[in-house]
Amino acid sequence: MPSTANLRHVMRRCLSSAIQATAGGSGGHARTLSSTAAEASTDPVGRKSGVPEIGQEPAGPSMKTVVPGPRSAQLKKELDNIQNTDAVHFFVDYVNSRGNYVADVDGNILLDVFTQISSLPLGYNHPGMIAAFRNADNMVPFVNRPALGSFPPGDLVERLSDTLLSVAPPGLKHVQTMACGSCANEHGQKAMFMAYMRRQRGGRPPTEEEKESSVVGKPPGSPHLAVLSFRGAFHGRGMGALACSHAKWFHKLDFPVPDWPMAPFPQLKYPLEENQRENEQEERRCLEEVEDLMELYRKKDYPVVGIICEPVQAEGGDNHASPAFFQGLQDIAAKNNAYLLVDEVQTGCGATGKFWAHEHFHLREAPDIVTFSKKMITGGFYYKEEQKATEGYRIYNTWMGDPSKLVLLGEVLKVIREENLLRGVQEVGTYLLQGLVSLQNQYPGLMKNARGLGTLCAADFHSTAQRDKVVATLRNRGVNAGTCGTAAMRLRPSLLFTHHHASIFLEHLEATLKEVHTGKTA
């Protein structure tokens, strides 16, 4: 048997080979990552950071073709022989994407303010993330993906404590990892159902009748229970998550859904300071309808056991509501012995300037469940003691997350703390939103309703076609932005997005708005 030292030497050699193969495996651009420490460099706004040998972040966008270019078009045609590609925007050269810039296979370099649908906390090829992968001590969780529910690694408690629990929403001390946001919301719903039925049983174990009837999907083992959600919401593509999603038809067409209530989400008028009375009335109206639906379903003997909401409705159009609205939701849930699940899949991990967006709302106590994914690298949910499963295999699947993602999350949290990124998000977000407001005032026939928390910003256009034209023109100028709702452009930059990057974005957006407004290329 080889000694521990020899085994570690072999592991390091294997890891080095794996890294070189990975770095050289895209688009024919062979690159290797040196094991030497990355040199320190300074970006245009003065932040010092280690830069890997694959290169520094570009100074700005650089365009060679339209997007998608000919190589992307060819690859899309080839992929379409295998699977549907209607959702593909362009093919990415991940080896040459760096920081806040994404490179495509046609050699274009774009400032990315969408960052893989809000899922890259530190941008592309961050040196700390690469170092975590290069560290031989981290090889085991990358190579072996355990079935965590049955065979967790010995260091799991330590990793959870150092990462997820170290940033738990105030008042929550329990966490369950999952693979993605959709399954986090699915299992969060299950946790609410189980907690509710345990309370209904008064703590007694389920009867044999309940067990047997549940297998065939009949009462009393499969009770009539509901979750209340909101028009415009999106919580994932699993069947339970889809039952609470009401953003776009293509999410739901052809799929059966349970008879669960849907309440209106406030449609605020902007600027907020000029429409305070109307917005307060709108939020009161929506809260009253939530209460009416709770009562209606109780009378139908179909009780609502939980309310699920997003701090900002993302896919539905970046719809915001005030802290008073969310405080009211929590009060209604408590009044009706229901739980409050806050879906932070797109808003968590600092995107709004606070680690959790619901911290902006000053709730009287922690939500019962908070789900997460995207920038958190792993999916999962935090919960209170009452929602903790009391039997094995009730909250369960094969993997239940991935410890290697906790390794990467650990690096993300380290950078957030050391570089005080949340303060940066707040400051840059203020600057970004001010720029959007200025541009909408300059081009009122195009853009309106600029809004945001931190750098999670959006603006509306007067039609879907107008929005799509602006976003496409902006992309061909070298900025990749996202869309949501029927006419909104959404921004989801990395946490390392600075005033420098925001200025580049606003400059290109201004040129784009001028081009669309005049019909002339600037």
Side-chain angles (χ1 to χ4, degrees):
M1 178 178 294
S3 67
T4 301
N6 287 338
L7 181 59
R8 182 177 297 276
H9 176 69
V10 171
M11 291 171 66
R12 289 186 185 277
R13 290 186 59 187
C14 291
L15 182 57
S16 177
S17 298
I19 292 168
Q20 292 181 20
T22 301
S26 175
H29 300 288
R31 294 181 181 272
T32 60
L33 301 177
S34 169
S35 60
T36 60
E39 296 179 357
S41 69
T42 304
D43 73 6
V45 293
R47 173 186 288 116
K48 289 188 176 181
S49 60
V51 179
E53 289 190 0
I54 55 173
Q56 301 180 21
E57 182 181 80
S62 174
M63 303 303 293
K64 296 182 178 180
T65 73
V66 297
V67 180
R71 179 62 176 151
S72 270
Q74 178 59 33
L75 289 171
K76 183 173 181 177
K77 182 178 179 181
E78 294 172 7
L79 182 60
D80 199 62
N81 292 325
I82 303 170
Q83 58 187 236
N84 182 279
T85 59
D86 289 350
V88 173
H89 296 289
F90 57 88
F91 283 75
V92 175
D93 176 359
Y94 286 99
V95 171
N96 287 308
S97 298
R98 299 166 194 143
N100 290 281
Y101 290 86
V102 60
D104 74 1
V105 293
D106 288 283
N108 299 302
I109 298 174
L110 298 87
L111 177 66
D112 194 352
V113 295
F114 197 34
T115 57
Q116 304 298 309
I117 319 177
S118 192
S119 65
L120 287 180
L122 304 181
Y124 296 92
N125 289 313
H126 187 276
M129 303 287 268
I130 292 174
F133 188 83
R134 288 163 55 181
N135 186 341
D137 292 334
N138 293 331
M139 174 181 275
V140 169
F142 280 112
V143 172
N144 304 282
R145 186 175 183 181
L148 287 176
S150 295
F151 308 102
D155 63 355
L156 181 61
V157 173
E158 181 182 2
R159 287 194 186 277
L160 290 173
S161 297
D162 291 345
T163 56
L164 290 171
L165 291 176
S166 73
V167 291
L172 297 182
K173 300 179 180 179
H174 301 275
V175 69
Q176 175 61 64
T177 54
M178 286 289 162
C180 66
S182 181
C183 55
N185 283 320
E186 293 274 343
H187 287 275
Q189 289 178 14
K190 289 168 61 178
M192 291 193 296
F193 292 140
M194 290 190 297
Y196 180 86
M197 290 308 298
R198 284 195 300 270
R199 194 167 60 194
Q200 293 297 105
R201 297 187 187 102
R204 66 170 176 81
T207 65
E208 289 303 313
E209 180 187 13
E210 287 173 321
K211 293 178 182 178
E212 292 174 7
S213 60
S214 71
V215 176
V216 294
K218 302 292 184 182
S222 294
H224 294 301
L225 303 175
V227 175
L228 183 144
S229 54
F230 292 90
R231 182 177 297 278
F234 182 72
H235 298 289
R237 289 176 167 81
M239 294 303 289
L242 272 180
C244 298
S245 298
H246 316 284
K248 297 170 183 174
W249 67 264
F250 52 78
H251 294 149
K252 303 193 69 167
L253 181 67
D254 301 328
F255 306 140
V257 295
D259 179 18
W260 290 358
M262 178 188 67
F265 193 83
Q267 300 299 299
L268 302 185
K269 294 182 178 179
Y270 295 85
L272 295 177
E273 61 274 11
E274 297 178 11
N275 296 279
Q276 183 175 350
R277 179 182 298 178
E278 292 89 340
N279 289 337
E280 288 176 352
Q281 291 175 346
E282 169 71 355
E283 292 190 337
R284 281 198 299 270
R285 179 188 72 84
C286 293
L287 289 172
E288 288 170 1
E289 187 150 349
V290 169
E291 290 207 83
D292 290 344
L293 286 168
M294 301 285 278
E295 178 64 20
L296 174 64
Y297 272 71
R298 181 165 46 250
K299 290 180 177 178
K300 290 171 59 174
D301 198 23
Y302 209 138
V304 173
V305 306
I307 297 173
I308 184 172
C309 63
E310 301 159 88
V312 177
Q313 284 191 331
E315 298 299 325
D318 262 35
N319 304 315
H320 291 247
S322 75
F325 175 76
F326 292 99
Q327 292 166 11
L329 276 187
Q330 187 172 57
D331 291 341
I332 292 171
K335 177 182 175 182
N336 289 273
N337 295 315
Y339 305 114
L340 179 64
L341 188 161
V342 177
D343 177 351
E344 291 255 23
V345 166
Q346 196 156 143
T347 54
C349 198
T352 67
K354 292 184 180 293
F355 201 91
W356 302 106
H358 74 265
E359 294 181 82
H360 289 280
F361 304 148
H362 308 293
L363 300 177
R364 55 181 171 77
E365 62 178 273
D368 297 288
I369 294 176
V370 175
T371 57
F372 57 86
S373 188
K374 292 193 181 287
K375 279 186 172 66
M376 291 292 285
I377 309 297
T378 183
F381 61 97
Y382 297 96
Y383 57 96
K384 292 180 177 176
E385 178 72 28
E386 186 178 356
Q387 282 79 47
K388 184 178 180 180
T390 55
E391 304 92 8
Y393 299 99
R394 303 295 306 281
I395 301 293
Y396 191 87
N397 56 46
T398 298
W399 286 320
M400 299 180 73
D402 183 348
S404 70
K405 300 302 184 287
L406 297 179
V407 173
L408 297 176
L409 177 60
E411 182 59 35
V412 171
L413 298 181
K414 176 184 176 184
V415 174
I416 288 175
R417 290 164 178 144
E418 290 183 350
E419 300 193 20
N420 200 10
L421 294 187
L422 297 191
R423 191 174 97 177
V425 169
Q426 295 168 12
E427 294 173 351
V428 176
T430 298
Y431 173 70
L432 182 61
L433 185 56
Q434 289 173 344
L436 290 172
V437 170
S438 176
L439 288 176
Q440 77 178 13
N441 292 337
Q442 188 176 346
Y443 294 95
L446 289 174
M447 204 166 78
K448 60 182 181 178
N449 299 341
R451 56 201 181 274
L453 283 174
T455 54
L456 193 142
C457 293
D460 291 332
F461 293 83
H462 293 277
S463 69
T464 302
Q466 191 182 68
R467 186 270 314 275
D468 292 349
K469 173 68 173 177
V470 168
V471 171
T473 304
L474 186 62
R475 183 174 291 166
N476 285 326
R477 284 186 169 276
V479 177
N480 182 47
T483 63
C484 59
T486 57
M489 174 183 69
R490 59 174 158 169
L491 309 181
R492 299 294 190 268
S494 80
L495 301 179
L496 293 171
F497 191 74
T498 68
H499 286 83
H500 168 73
H501 302 108
S503 295
I504 292 175
F505 165 74
L506 292 169
E507 177 185 340
H508 282 70
L509 178 60
E510 182 176 14
T512 296
L513 294 173
K514 182 177 181 180
E515 177 178 341
V516 173
H517 176 69
T518 63
K520 299 178 181 179
T521 303

